[in-house]
Amino acid sequence: MDFNLPNDPGIYDEMFDQAGKCRPHYQKFKDKINEISRKRLKQLQHSTGKSQLAMGMTFNVYHDKQGLEKILHLDVVPRIINATDWKKLEIGLQQRIEAINLFIQDIYNDRKILKDKVVPSDLILSSKDYLEPCVGFTPPKGIWCHITGTDLVRDKDGEFYVLEDNLRCPSGVSYLLENREIIKRVFPDLFYQLGVRPVSDYPGKLLSMLKYLSGKAKPVVAVLTPGVFNSAYFEHSYLAQQMGVELVTGPDLIVENNRLYMHTTQGLRQVDVLYRRIDDLFLDPLNFNPDSLLGTPGFFDAYKAGHLAFANAPGTGVADDKAVYAYVPDMIRYYLNQEPLLSNVPTYLCSRQKDLEYVLEHLSELVVKETNAAGGYGMLIGPRSTKELQNEFYNKIKKNPRNYIAQPTLSLSTVPTLDGNCIEGRHVDLRPYVLYGEKIEVLPGALTRVALVKDSLVVNSSQGGGSKDTWVLYS
Amino acid sequence: MLSRVADSIYWLGRYVERAENYARFIDVNLNLLLDLPPGLNEQWEPLVTVTGDKDWYTSKYNNFSRDNVVFFMTFDEENPNSIISSISRARENARIIRENLARESWEKLNELYYIVKNAKKKKVWLKNDPRVFFEQIKYGIQLIYGIADNSVSRTEGWYFSQIGQFLERADKTSRILDVKYHILLPSLEEVGSTLDFLHWAALLKSVGGFNTYRRFYGGIEPAGVLEFLALDQYFPRSILFCLRQAEKGLHCVSGSQESGYSNVAEKKLGALRSELEFADVNDVMDFGLHEFMDSIQIKINNISDEIHNRFFKITDNFTGIQSLQE
């Protein structure tokens, strides 16, 4: 089967250069695809969907009676990243996470960066994600953001830009791992020929990292899920299974004498480390949100007493704010005395008067985001929006400037994607996963989300996005 | 093992077994039909009667036609015990505890779920001979058992699933026997007739025990079939066999000796098991077939409640609510 070549010079295609020539690290793959008939490739795509369904890799509102179980479409055409590009990304991410971690430690303790006015105090201290109970606290080993799933895109120059840091409970890693298993069966010979780095040791690394947080020789680790109705439940149970640890829900747990226990058939058993997939504010109704029915009363007391470690640490979310994001390059300079290796997307903070004015005047050119929304909601994509919507945002921003940031529209890179009878470029983003334990490690692979609709820039699964297996090459 | 997980494993075992047995119930009748002399009506009402859901059925359906009964027992999602509901609930439990299951077990159960869903879409109960579908269910479940048998470690989880499976099977075998009580012969003279023989043979075939029975008991006669399905020590669907397996599982889970008891569940299960162990066919007949089966079902329910109290019960930290399956 042949490829439709990209023809928009304003967009970076990861497989073909401007002249329509295949980039070297894609060449073997291209030869392979050219050998396969269109019919065969469509069959492969079809069986990919079927194996996802059989594995139960489903997400979204789980309501059995109406059969609302969806799979995240997995495109058979992988995304390939060469070793040079990956190396740059890897050290850039390590630098970024190190700085962010220092930042969180600082704002809950000495607040030096605030006193030095590098980051405005009220931006941090007024945030609803700034958790008062964490003030003066240092988590085990001084690590706050143990698991990060940074979102990046490539602009027309091919450079990577960080879009969001996702420091809370980034999801998607199970799709990355399962996608790989499926695509391995589709192109078994290519993995060896191309030299694709494996990702399957992620659960093992995750477990070692979690164990490292405890002082005990044989700590008990568990994954905390909001429950089976959560859209990411598949992932929670998948990770627990792969790590060989218990998957627990709020009612399974109880805090006694500042220690956390789970109810087992043989009585109570202590839990030392909790990989929690519940938001900060729902964790502990005694200390945070009194209305929460998801967590367990007293969690935080056990945590502060040093009998329990959390990943990620409560309080980390404050650095995940899209307005705080704008200051990450400054954090890197401030704490590490280095220049940032990865670029931020230039960001206008509507809380700054000058930026606000600029944003309000240029709504039709900018992407406007709520500082605290996720999943592609609460967004205005200026160039593709109606006058009405722009007016709506105009009013919303004026009313509450702190809630909004704006960025120039990036021209997300494209990767060839199977769509019906053709293989054609579709826009993608990239979410690599970073673990912070004894050292900061970037998993050599990533979740690539792809906008399946031609020319669309929205890659979110809730809005018509799919995914691709992402191959990072040894060389 | 987490109490909640043990709870789900137990019920996973029960629901899967329930689905298989419902397929077998329907098979009894479909088998009978093939041999029915002309002029005799199909009897579908007894199937509904023995499931214990008759009141509910009659409030919803106006007759006991084959289409209605097969739909009710197989595809009616409002009937919590129908095959589709049992498979969905089994899958739901499996989904909750997926991290504790072998990958293949989950995948096969998940496939089965889609098979049933699709069959409903295709309205297979309206087909002339839907037996192919019920065979698919039976074999699908046998496959799940086969996978588990060769891949699950014999630790707590395995035994909880065994307890669930065998308690459910004991209950359902007692109900299959009860079918015979409710299927009416056209007249009293027909007792011992070809038709009567056909009824008993259909029961045996539905549990896959026809040939085994022949080999060990010879001729088809009521006392023999009753003994075989209720009191036999060796046949894996007989009530006594099932109770013994469940009891063994319970002792393994509690870590107690095989004699005596260490909790109420063990005590009650042991008592029921020995009641059957020391009964013969005449005792059952004297008590009344239907009454005897009824009392077994009630006792199994009590045992299940005690297992819950001993191993699964956790109270929500906030609402004080306990979750219960049935």
Side-chain angles (χ1 to χ4, degrees), chain A residues 27 35 90 215-216 357 392:
Chain A
Q27 189 58 49
E35 272 171 26
E90 189 178 1
K216 289 191 182 173
E357 283 164 21
E392 195 186 301

Side-chain angles (χ1 to χ4, degrees), chain A residues 55 62 64 233 252 265, chain B residues 4 92 96 103 110 113 156:
Chain A
M55 288 175 178
Y62 185 74
D64 194 42
Y233 187 80
D252 292 324
T265 53
Chain B
R4 179 180 52 84
E92 193 57 19
I96 293 172
R103 182 182 188 124
N110 196 31
Y113 168 79
E156 239 186 321

Side-chain angles (χ1 to χ4, degrees), chain A residues 149-411:
Chain A
T150 314
D151 280 341
L152 302 112
V153 295
R154 294 179 99 162
D155 199 15
K156 48 182 172 286
D157 50 7
E159 276 304 305
F160 283 105
Y161 288 83
V162 175
L163 263 190
E164 282 174 25
D165 289 294
N166 294 321
L167 302 163
R168 290 173 235 224
C169 319
S171 59
V173 74
S174 60
Y175 291 98
L176 181 170
L177 299 170
E178 292 283 84
N179 283 355
R180 174 61 57 85
E181 289 309 307
I182 293 171
I183 298 298
K184 260 186 193 167
R185 279 182 251 157
V186 180
F187 302 116
D189 39 348
L190 273 177
F191 279 85
Y192 178 69
Q193 284 172 23
L194 277 169
V196 180
R197 294 177 65 181
V199 291
S200 54
D201 58 349
Y202 177 81
K205 291 203 158 142
L206 179 61
L207 182 61
S208 320
M209 183 276 284
L210 293 168
K211 284 185 165 169
Y212 169 71
L213 301 180
S214 165
K216 289 191 182 173
K218 284 192 173 170
V220 175
V221 176
V223 178
L224 174 65
T225 174
V228 71
F229 296 103
N230 187 274
S231 63
Y233 187 80
F234 163 73
E235 172 152 311
H236 306 159
S237 86
Y238 178 84
L239 289 174
Q241 179 189 44
Q242 295 289 310
M243 290 193 287
V245 303
E246 297 290 357
L247 178 66
V248 297
T249 63
D252 292 324
L253 301 171
I254 187 167
V255 174
E256 280 180 11
N257 304 322
N258 286 342
R259 282 168 180 80
L260 179 69
Y261 297 94
M262 51 188 177
H263 294 280
T264 78
T265 53
Q266 316 297 337
L268 294 178
R269 183 162 183 230
Q270 196 181 343
V271 178
D272 304 303
V273 184
L274 210 48
Y275 176 21
R276 49 94 178 204
R277 297 293 295 256
I278 294 183
D279 274 352
D280 280 356
L281 296 174
F282 292 104
L283 267 183
D284 181 347
L286 288 184
N287 285 284
F288 305 123
N289 179 358
D291 300 328
S292 166
L293 294 179
L294 291 177
T296 298
F299 257 167
F300 203 77
D301 304 319
Y303 177 57
K304 273 200 135 170
H307 298 309
L308 174 65
F310 274 115
N312 290 348
T316 302
V318 66
D320 212 11
D321 184 296
K322 290 189 178 71
V324 175
Y325 152 90
Y327 291 97
V328 174
D330 294 331
M331 293 174 200
I332 294 172
R333 293 184 193 102
Y334 184 81
Y335 294 111
L336 305 178
N337 202 14
Q338 293 169 3
E339 272 308 301
L341 300 170
L342 281 176
S343 313
N344 258 22
V345 180
T347 302
Y348 304 97
L349 302 178
C350 297
S351 53
R352 293 181 187 147
Q353 190 54 34
K354 256 177 74 188
D355 286 10
L356 175 66
E357 283 164 21
Y358 180 86
V359 170
L360 291 176
E361 270 166 40
H362 296 85
L363 277 178
S364 63
E365 302 157 25
L366 300 168
V367 177
V368 180
K369 294 176 181 172
E370 273 182 45
T371 50
N372 234 321
Y377 293 106
M379 234 169 100
L380 172 81
I381 302 180
R384 293 175 185 211
S385 64
T386 59
K387 199 78 206 153
E388 272 177 340
L389 197 63
Q390 289 171 26
N391 285 338
E392 195 186 301
F393 267 81
Y394 186 95
N395 294 327
K396 283 205 270 189
I397 298 169
K398 271 202 103 163
K399 225 170 128 192
N400 193 354
R402 164 69 180 84
N403 246 357
Y404 294 90
I405 57 136
Q407 294 166 338
T409 320
L410 295 183
S411 68

Side-chain angles (χ1 to χ4, degrees), chain B residues 167 240 243-244 246-248 250-251 258-261 263-278 303:
Chain B
L167 283 183
L240 176 60
L243 293 176
R244 279 189 165 167
E247 193 183 10
K248 218 169 105 186
L250 204 49
H251 282 291
E258 286 230 9
S259 61
Y261 60 89
N263 56 53
V264 188
E266 284 180 2
K267 181 179 175 187
K268 289 193 169 175
L269 181 50
L272 179 59
R273 185 257 309 142
S274 65
E275 192 184 326
L276 266 82
E277 208 164 52
F278 296 100
I303 291 163

Side-chain angles (χ1 to χ4, degrees), chain B residues 251-298:
Chain B
H251 282 291
C252 288
V253 166
S254 322
S256 56
Q257 298 291 326
E258 286 230 9
S259 61
Y261 60 89
S262 67
N263 56 53
V264 188
E266 284 180 2
K267 181 179 175 187
K268 289 193 169 175
L269 181 50
L272 179 59
R273 185 257 309 142
S274 65
E275 192 184 326
L276 266 82
E277 208 164 52
F278 296 100
D280 63 29
V281 180
N282 292 328
D283 298 330
V284 180
M285 290 297 203
D286 289 348
F287 197 84
L289 174 63
H290 172 67
E291 289 72 15
F292 192 82
M293 296 307 151
D294 214 34
S295 89
I296 289 179
Q297 290 153 22
I298 291 167

Side-chain angles (χ1 to χ4, degrees), chain A residues 26-131:
Chain A
Y26 262 102
Q27 189 58 49
K28 279 185 189 147
F29 177 74
K30 180 170 180 279
D31 298 342
K32 173 81 185 173
I33 292 289
N34 286 343
E35 272 171 26
I36 302 177
S37 72
R38 172 183 302 175
K39 196 173 154 214
R40 177 79 190 122
L41 201 62
K42 283 172 87 169
Q43 277 172 355
L44 289 171
Q45 180 65 60
H46 181 71
S47 58
T48 298
K50 285 199 92 161
S51 16
Q52 285 182 289
L53 206 58
M55 288 175 178
M57 289 173 66
T58 52
F59 75 97
N60 227 355
V61 199
Y62 185 74
H63 198 287
D64 194 42
K65 290 217 163 95
Q66 289 165 24
L68 268 180
E69 282 177 58
K70 291 187 187 165
I71 52 169
L72 179 66
H73 178 89
L74 168 61
D75 182 53
V76 283
V77 183
R79 177 201 212 159
I80 307 175
I81 300 178
N82 67 34
T84 323
D85 285 350
W86 187 259
K87 189 71 207 165
K88 266 166 78 178
L89 200 63
E90 189 178 1
I91 53 175
L93 285 169
Q94 286 164 334
Q95 178 195 52
R96 196 171 170 99
I97 303 299
E98 188 183 356
I100 291 174
N101 194 65
L102 289 167
F103 169 72
I104 304 171
Q105 173 68 19
D106 186 21
I107 56 170
Y108 282 112
N109 290 280
D110 304 337
R111 296 185 183 168
K112 277 191 274 185
I113 199 167
L114 305 183
K115 287 172 193 154
D116 290 341
K117 300 206 182 327
V118 177
V119 176
S121 284
D122 62 321
L123 178 68
I124 303 301
L125 304 180
S126 70
S127 164
K128 75 169 176 51
D129 294 311
Y130 187 80
L131 298 186

